[in-house]
Amino acid sequence: MKIGIDSYCYHRFFGEVYPDQDKPKQIMTMNDFLDRARTLGVDGVSLESCFFPSFDSAWLADLKAQLDEYKLDRVFAWGHPDGLERGQNQKAFDDMIACIPHAVAIGADVMRVTGSSLMFRHEPHEPQILALAKLFKQAMKVADDYGIKLAVENHIDYTGEEIFHLLELVDSENFGVNFDTGNFLRLLDDPIVAMDRLAPHVLAVHLKDLTVNQQEARPNDWFYFSGVPVGQGLVDNQALADRLSKENFTGFLAVEIDHPHFDWRGREDEAVALSVAGLRKITNSLK
C-alpha cells in the first residue's frame, strides 16, 4: 500500500496560522512541499487547493510537470475550511465545480471535497445530507465528463453512517470517500466501525493519529484531540489499513497533522517525518 503526505500538515508555513500558534520564520511554496515529499520518499501527495497561489493554466502545468518528474501520485483537495456549508453555499458549489478542470490539469483522478465542517455539526443533520446529496448529484455530472472521482471527507461533521447515507443518495460509482481516520474520533464515532461500513467506497485517505490535548483544550474544543506522529496516539491506524488492504485499496495513505498536540507545537516537520516512518511500518506489515 502506498503512503503520502497532505500539504495541510504545513498550513502554518503556507500562511494559515491558528490563534494559538506562532507565525513561522519562513514560508513554504508548493514546490518546497513537493521537494520535502520527495526527500521523505513518499509515493503521493494530497494538495490543498486553498494554498495554491494561482489557478493559471501555466502554473498548473508547471505543478503537474514537477509531480510527474518526482513520480508522485496526487489528490486535488478542495473544501477547506467549510466546504459547501451543509449544502447552503451556492458560491462554494460554483467554486468546487470550477476546480474540477484544475484537478485534471495537475493530473489527478481523485478530488477530495467537503460538504460541511465542524461549524455546522450541531444543526440537524438530515436536512444537510439531503441538500448535499442534491448538489453532489449535480457535481457528478460534471466530474464524470472530466473523468474525475469525487471523494467526500468526514470533516468533523458527519458520522460514518451519515456519510454512507450520503453515498446512497448520490448513487454514483465515482462518488466515494476521503476517509479521515482522526475526524471520526473527534465526533466520538469509532473509526473502525466507520471503516467497516465505508471501506468499499474509500478513494483517498487522510491518516491522522490523535491524543488528548489537555494542556490547551477543553473537551468541547475541536482540537481537544490533537495531532501526534503516527503510532503515538489513540487511533488504531494499523487496523484501518488492514481493512483497506482487504478491500484492495489502490490509493495512498496521506499523513495529515492539522493541529499539533502541545508537545509537538512548532515541530510539524519532525512529526511528519516520524509519521511517514510509522506509516511505513504499517504498510510493510501488509505485504
Side-chain angles (χ1 to χ4, degrees), residues 81-82 116-122 155-157 187 222-223:
D82 300 316
S116 190
S117 74
L118 59 90
M119 293 294 294
F120 310 102
R121 70 191 184 281
H122 296 307
H155 211 217
I156 321 181
D157 42 29
L187 292 175
W222 76 268
F223 56 93

Side-chain angles (χ1 to χ4, degrees), residues 3-4 39 83 85 93-94 102 115-116 143-144 156 166 175 204 213 219 239 260:
I3 63 175
T39 298
E85 296 187 5
F93 175 78
D94 294 341
H102 301 331
S116 190
D144 285 340
I156 321 181
L166 178 60
F175 183 72
N213 191 358

Side-chain angles (χ1 to χ4, degrees), residues 25-75:
K25 295 180 180 179
Q26 61 186 32
I27 63 170
M28 174 178 273
T29 67
M30 197 60 66
N31 303 98
D32 295 332
F33 171 69
L34 296 184
D35 286 341
R36 184 60 178 143
R38 182 169 68 165
T39 298
L40 289 170
V42 299
D43 305 297
V45 288
S46 175
L47 301 177
E48 298 287 340
S49 60
C50 58
F51 299 139
F52 281 27
S54 171
F55 292 109
D56 178 80
S57 59
W59 188 87
L60 293 172
D62 287 344
L63 179 62
K64 181 182 185 299
Q66 188 177 7
L67 288 163
D68 291 345
E69 179 187 350
Y70 292 178
K71 296 181 172 58
L72 290 169
D73 291 352
R74 66 219 63 166
V75 169

